[in-house]
Protein backbone atom coordinates (compact mmCIF):
# COMPACT_ATOMS: atom_id res chain seq x y z
CA UNK A 1 0.00 0.00 0.00
CA UNK A 2 1.16 3.55 -0.62
CA UNK A 3 3.03 5.26 2.17
CA UNK A 4 2.70 8.77 3.50
CA UNK A 5 3.20 11.27 0.69
CA UNK A 6 4.46 14.77 1.29
CA UNK A 7 4.69 17.47 -1.32
CA UNK A 8 6.74 19.29 -2.28
CA UNK A 9 10.01 17.61 -1.29
CA UNK A 10 11.99 20.83 -1.39
CA UNK A 11 10.99 24.45 -1.14
CA UNK A 12 12.86 27.74 -1.05
CA UNK A 13 11.01 30.80 0.18
CA UNK A 14 11.87 34.36 1.08
CA UNK A 15 11.43 35.87 4.53
CA UNK A 16 7.95 37.25 4.98
CA UNK A 17 6.33 34.91 2.48
CA UNK A 18 3.92 32.17 3.40
CA UNK A 19 4.04 28.50 2.51
CA UNK A 20 1.66 25.55 2.39
CA UNK A 21 2.84 21.97 2.72
CA UNK A 22 0.73 18.96 1.88
CA UNK A 23 0.49 15.47 3.33
CA UNK A 24 -1.50 12.46 2.14
CA UNK A 25 -1.66 9.77 4.83
CA UNK A 26 -1.79 6.04 4.38
CA UNK A 27 -5.23 4.93 3.28
CA UNK A 28 -7.33 4.24 6.35
CA UNK A 29 -5.19 6.33 8.68
CA UNK A 30 -7.28 9.10 10.18
CA UNK A 31 -4.66 10.71 12.38
CA UNK A 32 -2.09 13.05 10.87
CA UNK A 33 0.66 14.70 12.87
CA UNK A 34 3.22 17.28 11.85
CA UNK A 35 6.74 17.64 13.21
CA UNK A 36 9.56 20.07 12.63
CA UNK A 37 13.08 18.70 12.60
CA UNK A 38 16.08 20.99 13.02
CA UNK A 39 19.68 20.04 13.81
CA UNK A 40 20.17 19.49 17.52
CA UNK A 41 16.46 19.84 18.32
CA UNK A 42 15.14 16.48 17.27
CA UNK A 43 11.55 16.31 16.20
CA UNK A 44 9.36 19.03 17.62
CA UNK A 45 5.62 18.39 17.63
CA UNK A 46 3.53 20.94 15.73
CA UNK A 47 -0.02 19.56 15.78
CA UNK A 48 -2.17 16.50 15.32
CA UNK A 49 -5.42 16.15 13.44
CA UNK A 50 -8.01 13.41 13.63
CA UNK A 51 -11.19 13.41 11.58
CA UNK A 52 -10.68 17.04 10.55
CA UNK A 53 -10.26 18.21 14.16
CA UNK A 54 -7.08 19.48 15.73
CA UNK A 55 -6.67 17.41 18.88
CA UNK A 56 -3.32 18.61 20.06
CA UNK A 57 -0.98 21.50 19.38
CA UNK A 58 2.67 21.95 20.18
CA UNK A 59 4.47 25.02 21.40
CA UNK A 60 4.75 26.93 18.14
CA UNK A 61 3.60 30.46 17.32
CA UNK A 62 0.30 31.13 15.65
CA UNK A 63 2.08 31.58 12.32
CA UNK A 64 1.99 27.81 12.11
CA UNK A 65 -1.42 26.41 11.30
CA UNK A 66 -2.90 23.35 9.74
CA UNK A 67 -6.04 21.64 8.66
CA UNK A 68 -7.31 18.24 7.68
CA UNK A 69 -9.78 17.42 4.98
CA UNK A 70 -12.54 14.83 4.93
CA UNK A 71 -10.29 12.42 3.01
CA UNK A 72 -7.71 12.73 5.85
CA UNK A 73 -5.26 14.66 3.71
CA UNK A 74 -3.67 17.45 5.67
CA UNK A 75 -2.04 20.77 4.94
CA UNK A 76 0.27 22.84 7.05
CA UNK A 77 0.68 26.56 6.57
CA UNK A 78 3.40 28.88 7.81
CA UNK A 79 2.83 32.60 7.38
CA UNK A 80 5.34 35.44 7.58
CA UNK A 81 8.29 33.11 7.21
CA UNK A 82 11.40 33.68 9.28
CA UNK A 83 14.92 32.38 8.69
CA UNK A 84 14.53 30.13 11.73
CA UNK A 85 11.66 28.30 10.06
CA UNK A 86 14.16 26.58 7.80
CA UNK A 87 13.78 22.92 8.68
CA UNK A 88 12.60 19.52 7.59
CA UNK A 89 8.86 19.26 8.09
CA UNK A 90 7.65 15.74 8.62
CA UNK A 91 4.14 14.42 8.41
CA UNK A 92 3.18 11.18 10.09
CA UNK A 93 -0.01 9.19 9.95
CA UNK A 94 -1.43 6.58 12.25
CA UNK A 95 -4.62 4.65 12.73
CA UNK A 96 -5.35 6.42 15.97
CA UNK A 97 -4.42 6.86 19.58
CA UNK A 98 -1.80 4.58 20.95
CA UNK A 99 -0.55 3.59 17.52
CA UNK A 100 2.87 4.30 16.16
CA UNK A 101 3.50 6.59 13.24
CA UNK A 102 4.41 6.08 9.66
CA UNK A 103 6.37 9.07 8.46
CA UNK A 104 6.58 10.67 5.08
CA UNK A 105 9.91 11.67 3.57
CA UNK A 106 9.40 15.26 4.61
CA UNK A 107 9.49 18.67 3.00
CA UNK A 108 12.79 20.50 3.26
CA UNK A 109 11.96 24.20 3.63
CA UNK A 110 14.70 26.77 3.23
CA UNK A 111 13.93 30.40 4.05
CA UNK A 112 16.34 32.94 2.59
CA UNK B 1 11.48 21.36 28.24
CA UNK B 2 12.81 18.17 26.70
CA UNK B 3 10.83 15.28 28.18
CA UNK B 4 12.75 12.69 26.20
CA UNK B 5 16.51 12.93 26.12
CA UNK B 6 19.20 11.21 24.17
CA UNK B 7 22.40 12.43 25.73
CA UNK B 8 24.78 10.89 23.22
CA UNK B 9 24.65 12.78 19.93
CA UNK B 10 26.85 10.20 18.24
CA UNK B 11 28.17 6.68 18.63
CA UNK B 12 30.72 4.68 16.63
CA UNK B 13 30.87 0.89 16.75
CA UNK B 14 32.84 -1.76 14.91
CA UNK B 15 30.91 -4.04 12.59
CA UNK B 16 29.82 -7.22 14.40
CA UNK B 17 29.90 -5.60 17.83
CA UNK B 18 26.95 -4.50 19.94
CA UNK B 19 25.51 -0.99 19.61
CA UNK B 20 23.74 0.38 22.67
CA UNK B 21 21.71 3.55 22.29
CA UNK B 22 20.26 5.15 25.38
CA UNK B 23 17.22 7.28 26.08
CA UNK B 24 15.95 8.90 29.28
CA UNK B 25 12.58 10.43 29.97
CA UNK B 26 11.11 12.56 32.71
CA UNK B 27 7.35 12.05 32.42
CA UNK B 28 6.17 9.14 34.56
CA UNK B 29 2.92 9.05 32.57
CA UNK B 30 4.70 7.80 29.48
CA UNK B 31 3.75 4.22 28.83
CA UNK B 32 4.51 3.54 25.18
CA UNK B 33 7.95 3.89 23.66
CA UNK B 34 9.27 3.56 20.15
CA UNK B 35 12.56 3.70 18.31
CA UNK B 36 12.85 5.14 14.84
CA UNK B 37 15.74 5.04 12.42
CA UNK B 38 16.37 7.86 9.99
CA UNK B 39 18.59 7.98 6.93
CA UNK B 40 19.48 11.32 5.33
CA UNK B 41 16.81 12.72 3.02
CA UNK B 42 14.26 10.18 4.25
CA UNK B 43 11.58 10.24 6.90
CA UNK B 44 12.06 8.23 10.10
CA UNK B 45 11.08 4.58 9.86
CA UNK B 46 9.67 2.59 12.71
CA UNK B 47 12.08 0.10 14.25
CA UNK B 48 10.70 -1.37 17.45
CA UNK B 49 8.35 -0.48 20.28
CA UNK B 50 7.72 -1.42 23.90
CA UNK B 51 4.86 -0.78 26.26
CA UNK B 52 5.26 -0.20 29.96
CA UNK B 53 3.90 -3.61 30.88
CA UNK B 54 7.06 -5.17 29.49
CA UNK B 55 10.71 -4.63 30.22
CA UNK B 56 12.09 -6.16 27.06
CA UNK B 57 11.07 -6.58 23.46
CA UNK B 58 13.06 -8.29 20.74
CA UNK B 59 12.85 -8.18 16.98
CA UNK B 60 15.68 -9.93 15.23
CA UNK B 61 18.91 -8.07 15.88
CA UNK B 62 17.10 -5.31 17.76
CA UNK B 63 16.16 -5.44 21.43
CA UNK B 64 14.67 -2.63 23.47
CA UNK B 65 14.94 -2.63 27.26
CA UNK B 66 12.76 -0.52 29.51
CA UNK B 67 13.60 0.38 33.12
CA UNK B 68 10.56 2.26 34.39
CA UNK B 69 11.97 2.99 37.83
CA UNK B 70 14.97 4.67 36.24
CA UNK B 71 12.88 6.18 33.41
CA UNK B 72 15.39 4.78 30.99
CA UNK B 73 15.24 2.75 27.84
CA UNK B 74 17.92 1.41 25.59
CA UNK B 75 18.16 -0.09 22.14
CA UNK B 76 20.63 -2.90 21.56
CA UNK B 77 21.69 -3.87 18.06
CA UNK B 78 23.55 -7.16 17.81
CA UNK B 79 25.50 -7.69 15.64
CA UNK B 80 25.88 -4.19 14.24
CA UNK B 81 26.09 -3.87 10.48
CA UNK B 82 27.25 -0.96 8.29
CA UNK B 83 23.67 -0.56 7.01
CA UNK B 84 22.64 0.29 10.56
CA UNK B 85 24.48 3.60 10.26
CA UNK B 86 21.73 6.19 10.70
CA UNK B 87 20.24 8.56 13.23
CA UNK B 88 18.14 6.82 15.87
CA UNK B 89 15.32 8.59 17.67
CA UNK B 90 13.47 7.37 20.71
CA UNK B 91 9.92 8.55 21.28
CA UNK B 92 7.37 8.26 24.06
CA UNK B 93 3.69 8.86 24.58
CA UNK B 94 1.23 8.83 27.44
CA UNK B 95 -1.66 6.42 27.85
CA UNK B 96 -4.03 7.05 24.93
CA UNK B 97 -1.92 10.02 24.02
CA UNK B 98 -2.09 11.56 20.59
CA UNK B 99 1.37 13.06 20.64
CA UNK B 100 4.77 11.47 20.67
CA UNK B 101 7.70 13.19 22.31
CA UNK B 102 10.97 12.62 20.53
CA UNK B 103 14.54 12.74 21.68
CA UNK B 104 17.16 14.70 19.76
CA UNK B 105 18.61 11.59 18.15
CA UNK B 106 21.84 9.62 18.24
CA UNK B 107 23.88 9.28 15.08
CA UNK B 108 25.21 5.72 14.87
CA UNK B 109 28.18 4.90 12.66
CA UNK B 110 29.06 1.25 12.18
CA UNK B 111 32.61 0.92 10.98
CA UNK B 112 33.30 -1.97 8.58
Amino acid sequence: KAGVTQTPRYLIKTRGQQVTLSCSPISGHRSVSWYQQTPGQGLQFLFEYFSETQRNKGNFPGRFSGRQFSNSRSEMNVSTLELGDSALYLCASSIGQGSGYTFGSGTRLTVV
Amino acid sequence: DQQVKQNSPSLSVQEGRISILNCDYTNSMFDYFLWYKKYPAEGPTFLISISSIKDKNEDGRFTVFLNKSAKHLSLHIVPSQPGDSAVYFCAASEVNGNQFYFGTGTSLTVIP
Side-chain angles (χ1 to χ4, degrees):
Chain A
K1 64 184 177 184
V4 178
T5 303
Q6 289 188 250
T7 56
R9 286 296 308 274
Y10 302 94
L11 207 49
I12 300 176
K13 289 285 189 178
T14 306
R15 271 183 302 175
Q17 286 187 311
Q18 67 101 26
V19 67
T20 299
L21 312 181
S22 179
C23 172
S24 293
I26 289 175
S27 177
H29 285 195
R30 296 167 65 190
S31 170
V32 174
S33 299
W34 289 88
Y35 284 82
Q36 180 196 65
Q37 185 191 4
T38 54
Q41 292 295 315
L43 278 71
Q44 302 293 314
F45 175 75
L46 281 153
F47 24 66
E48 188 258 356
Y49 287 87
F50 185 86
S51 294
E52 302 179 66
T53 301
Q54 186 184 89
R55 292 197 300 191
N56 203 359
K57 191 178 192 309
N59 189 25
F60 277 81
R63 301 184 296 106
F64 291 81
S65 63
R67 59 178 176 168
Q68 187 180 34
F69 303 94
S70 58
N71 61 358
S72 293
R73 190 177 72 85
S74 178
E75 287 182 347
M76 187 193 117
N77 186 275
V78 188
S79 62
T80 320
L81 284 165
E82 301 176 359
L83 295 178
D85 297 333
S86 295
L88 179 67
Y89 289 88
L90 291 160
C91 167
S93 75
S94 70
I95 292 173
Q97 285 179 331
S99 302
Y101 292 148
T102 300
F103 281 91
S105 297
T107 295
R108 171 72 62 183
L109 172 65
T110 302
V111 182
V112 296
Chain B
D1 180 32
Q2 196 76 22
Q3 297 192 52
V4 177
K5 299 177 184 178
Q6 294 175 257
N7 293 318
S8 297
S10 63
L11 176 68
S12 291
V13 172
Q14 289 285 340
E15 180 179 3
R17 299 290 187 100
I18 183 172
S19 296
I20 300 177
L21 295 93
N22 293 305
C23 180
D24 297 292
Y25 61 96
T26 57
N27 187 344
S28 58
M29 298 301 292
F30 286 154
D31 80 326
Y32 185 52
F33 305 88
L34 304 95
W35 284 92
Y36 282 85
K37 179 169 74 172
K38 185 180 185 301
Y39 294 116
E42 295 182 13
T45 55
F46 171 75
L47 202 54
I48 192 169
S49 66
I50 189 167
S51 72
S52 59
I53 62 173
K54 302 174 78 171
D55 55 15
K56 176 182 174 183
N57 190 27
E58 282 183 85
D59 185 1
R61 297 185 297 113
F62 302 91
T63 303
V64 56
F65 295 92
L66 175 62
N67 183 334
K68 286 201 71 179
S69 60
K71 295 190 180 69
H72 176 85
L73 66 155
S74 61
L75 174 68
H76 292 209
I77 306 173
V78 183
S80 301
Q81 300 173 353
D84 296 330
S85 297
V87 177
Y88 290 78
F89 292 96
C90 66
S93 76
E94 298 181 11
V95 178
N96 296 322
N98 49 32
Q99 174 185 348
F100 279 93
Y101 297 83
F102 283 80
T104 52
T106 296
S107 178
L108 172 66
T109 302
V110 180
I111 304 164

